[in-house]
Amino acid sequence: MVFLEFEKPLEKLYEQLEKVKEVSEGGVVDMDTTIQELEGRIKQTRRDIYSNLSGWQRVQLSRHPERPYTLYYIEQMCRKFVELHGDRYYGDDKAIVGGIGNMDGQTVVIIGHQKGVNTKMRQYRNFGMANPEGYRKALRLMKLAERFGFPVISLIDTPGAYPGIEAEERGQAEAIARNLFEMAQLRVPVVCAVIGEGASGGAIGIGLGDHVMMLENTWYSVISPESCSSILWRSWDFKEKAAEALKLTAEDMHSFGIVDEIVKEPHGGAHSSPEEMAKTLKRQLKKAIAAIQEKSVDQMVEDRINKYAAIGQVTHAN
């Protein structure tokens, strides 16, 4: 198990529990009572830690190396999935995956960022930072969904679009802007879920939808706390302060009306019980799609455009 900095009390308890279990397995001393006491303390400590997380702690959880990524959710949610590749212009971006899936008998198109589960795969996936061809691939799949009337599911988890010069040369900004333009008018339901990091244009490039949800321990912001700290204070040392000032948690985004729903995670975060998290996410995605499908297509598109047009409006009290 990987423990984050603020989870150190849990790490010590787990170490004690492991030692006690080793003694118990030896059969010399009955340690059942001690094991039960330690397990109870672990549950209570976990509740205490996770009942009052700061913005920076939620950022850390969203980056947990054992946190489930897009391909895991697809595997758990879909009975069958066929991945499609390439943008038909330049190449196939491995940072964004997508294809057609069967979710309890309903055909859907799923796209999402994929970071990679180990060092080699993270390099292969470019740490979830997409190039322009990734966004163009996503748009190609969304237009495919529109042609056949399939709902679109978008899973967001990226530290940002790839900022390299080659990405700019191939039209990074235009690719993201084009996706926003097209997604606003897409004539099929679009449901988006932030499953990890939701950073800047890299996230919103596949994140405009009828219904946007965030998992409980995720963040969504125009900039990461570290980058914000380096700009304002010329140092990363103030990242915790920046995280609070940015108001980037799911609760903040929901209160601003930027996202429509917060999906609860298991105690300890999504990585503590990935299968349970996948079941919960699947249930909420299906519920959101069903609600959107009750509208006419014209009403759905109009509501989507009005929703984003209203973001950022401020009402002043008299």
Side-chain angles (χ1 to χ4, degrees):
M1 298 176 68
V2 178
F3 293 92
L4 300 173
E5 183 182 348
F6 64 88
E7 295 178 310
K8 292 300 180 184
L10 274 176
E11 183 176 14
K12 293 179 180 178
L13 287 171
Y14 271 105
E15 288 174 354
Q16 292 177 26
L17 180 61
E18 187 176 345
K19 291 177 182 177
V20 170
K21 284 184 176 180
E22 287 178 0
V23 174
S24 178
E25 288 171 1
V28 179
V29 182
D30 185 2
M31 304 295 289
D32 288 348
T33 303
T34 306
I35 289 172
Q36 290 177 5
E37 288 177 357
L38 280 170
E39 288 176 341
R41 287 174 62 189
I42 286 172
K43 288 181 181 178
Q44 186 58 49
T45 303
R46 182 180 283 117
R47 288 194 202 98
D48 294 341
I49 290 174
Y50 283 88
S51 62
N52 190 29
L53 292 173
S54 67
W56 173 245
Q57 288 169 336
R58 293 194 188 278
V59 171
Q60 290 178 290
L61 277 173
S62 75
R63 298 169 175 169
H64 197 287
E66 296 177 343
R67 193 173 179 88
Y69 299 133
T70 293
L71 286 176
Y72 176 82
Y73 285 118
I74 289 174
E75 180 185 347
Q76 292 294 312
M77 295 191 301
C78 294
R79 188 166 57 203
K80 185 178 181 181
F81 178 74
V82 178
E83 185 176 354
L84 301 175
H85 301 270
D87 66 344
R88 294 184 179 171
Y89 288 98
Y90 179 81
D92 184 39
D93 190 339
K94 303 299 189 296
I96 288 185
V97 297
I100 302 173
N102 184 309
M103 195 165 70
D104 290 347
Q106 182 176 38
T107 302
V108 295
V109 167
I110 305 180
I111 56 177
H113 300 98
Q114 179 68 19
K115 287 181 173 179
V117 296
N118 53 46
T119 301
K120 185 176 181 179
M121 290 305 297
R122 289 183 186 111
Q123 291 175 333
Y124 178 72
R125 300 286 183 183
N126 201 28
F127 299 87
M129 296 185 293
N131 280 278
E133 51 271 22
Y135 294 104
R136 291 178 181 130
K137 173 170 70 172
L139 179 58
R140 179 173 77 84
L141 297 182
M142 287 186 274
K143 299 301 283 186
L144 176 72
E146 183 178 51
R147 191 177 308 130
F148 291 99
F150 300 150
V152 173
I153 294 173
S154 176
L155 304 180
I156 299 162
D157 185 11
T158 179
Y162 183 60
I165 188 170
E166 60 270 36
E168 298 299 336
E169 289 173 344
R170 296 199 297 273
Q172 185 74 286
E174 189 279 336
I176 293 173
R178 173 63 58 181
N179 277 21
L180 298 179
F181 179 79
E182 295 290 351
M183 290 181 81
Q185 306 171 77
L186 212 62
R187 298 181 68 79
V188 290
V190 183
V191 179
C192 308
V194 181
I195 60 172
E197 297 186 270
S200 195
I204 193 103
I206 59 168
L208 192 155
D210 302 288
H211 188 90
V212 181
M213 59 184 73
M214 290 178 69
L215 271 58
E216 185 180 10
N217 297 311
T218 62
W219 64 277
Y220 205 5
S221 175
V222 72
I223 193 171
S224 70
E226 294 94 333
S227 297
C228 179
S229 176
S230 66
I231 291 172
L232 296 182
W233 292 283
R234 299 293 187 268
S235 168
W236 279 22
D237 295 340
F238 297 91
K239 54 186 179 294
E240 294 93 342
K241 186 175 181 181
E244 297 304 320
L246 284 168
K247 302 295 183 184
L248 43 63
T249 67
E251 288 82 0
D252 294 322
M253 293 296 103
H254 189 260
S255 67
F256 297 149
I258 295 173
V259 302
D260 306 291
E261 179 185 0
I262 300 172
V263 181
K264 293 287 288 183
E265 295 186 17
H267 272 299
H271 61 279
S272 66
S273 183
E275 290 186 9
E276 180 185 345
M277 186 70 257
K279 289 178 182 178
T280 302
L281 179 60
K282 179 181 179 180
R283 181 174 63 249
Q284 297 309 113
L285 289 171
K286 289 176 61 179
K287 182 179 177 182
I289 290 171
I292 298 165
Q293 287 177 326
E294 292 180 358
K295 303 178 183 180
S296 69
V297 173
D298 290 337
Q299 186 64 53
M300 176 187 69
V301 174
E302 183 180 350
D303 289 349
R304 187 189 305 150
I305 292 172
N306 290 338
K307 170 188 171 182
Y308 282 89
I311 290 177
Q313 292 184 0
V314 178
T315 302
H316 295 282
N318 295 327

